[in-house]
Amino acid sequence: MFYDAVANSHGLQWDPFKALVSPRPIGWISTLGQNGVVNLAPYSFFNAVSTDPHFVMFSSGGRKDSQRNAEETGEFVCSLATFALRGAMNRTSQHVGPEVDELELAGLTPAPSKLVAPPRVKESPVAFECRYWRTIELPGPDSGPGAHSIVLGQVVGVHIDDAAIAEGRVDVTKLKPIARLGYSDYAVIDEVFTLTRP
Ligand SMILES: Cc1cc2nc3c(=O)[nH]c(=O)nc-3n(C[C@H](O)[C@H](O)[C@H](O)COP(=O)(O)O)c2cc1C
């Protein structure tokens, strides 16, 4: 099949777009509100976009708390959402008021970051401490203002659970990251294959 993506005339029951761009890593973004309260939310429009220096991005559909806090405080942290933490990750996607500590709400433990103020998720084996760089606002369908913004930040510190490091390499099968597919579906990385480049 082919469909016009601007008209979004796929004719299916649900928009297949996100199922087609999958798996997507999940950035579990912690920030501090101006009131000092911890905000935590998952973003699957998330990725690493460069290595020298290291930058990551997440895309917010509407100016949600994570975007606002990152812009206002200049800092955010991305913890890795793993299979063991899937329930807690899902709980942090609830819409709650800015006075609610979402890390606490999900039964998680804050661990202090080293270079930025927002805490990381202690139970998560990997976290990136980030300095906010800039936001790119995407246009709407008619080239007017849109709803989505890409928030970019430079990774300034990385935490890795030593238990996931063996022979100088990170063993991703020990981390078991989860990834977002389409609909309400997820995948977990528990198997890896290797291809060397020609
Ligand atoms: C796995 C998962 C991935 C999500 N990815 C995104 C995303 O990429 N962009 C977005 O705007 N919302 C996304 N959401 C919804 C947000 O997590 C949700 O709106 C949350 O309440 C936003 O919190 P905040 O206002 O504290 O930033 C996702 C939810 C889940 C469960």
Side-chain angles (χ1 to χ4, degrees), residues 36-106:
V37 174
V38 181
N39 191 87
L40 179 67
Y43 283 79
S44 74
F45 286 142
F46 165 82
N47 224 313
V49 291
S50 69
T51 54
D52 185 22
H54 302 85
F55 273 81
V56 293
M57 56 72 64
F58 65 93
S59 167
S60 186
R63 194 162 183 257
K64 296 181 179 177
D65 292 342
S66 304
Q67 177 185 352
R68 182 180 306 106
N69 292 347
E71 290 172 348
E72 288 178 357
T73 66
E75 296 176 334
F76 63 94
V77 174
C78 312
S79 297
L80 188 72
T82 64
F83 189 70
L85 296 171
R86 63 196 182 284
M89 180 284 299
N90 202 21
R91 281 197 289 283
T92 61
S93 70
Q94 290 173 76
H95 182 66
V96 293
E99 71 289 352
V100 179
D101 181 325
E102 291 177 303
L103 217 137
E104 197 177 284
L105 183 75

Side-chain angles (χ1 to χ4, degrees), residues 3 11-12 19 28 31 33 123 154 181 187 189:
Y3 69 95
L12 301 172
W28 205 4
T31 52
E123 289 80 359
Q154 183 180 351
L181 311 176
I189 298 179

Side-chain angles (χ1 to χ4, degrees), residues 157-178:
V158 180
H159 299 259
I160 311 171
D161 181 352
D162 293 330
I165 301 176
E167 294 166 19
R169 289 166 53 116
V170 172
D171 182 347
V172 77
T173 62
K174 290 203 165 77
L175 299 174
K176 299 209 183 310
I178 51 171

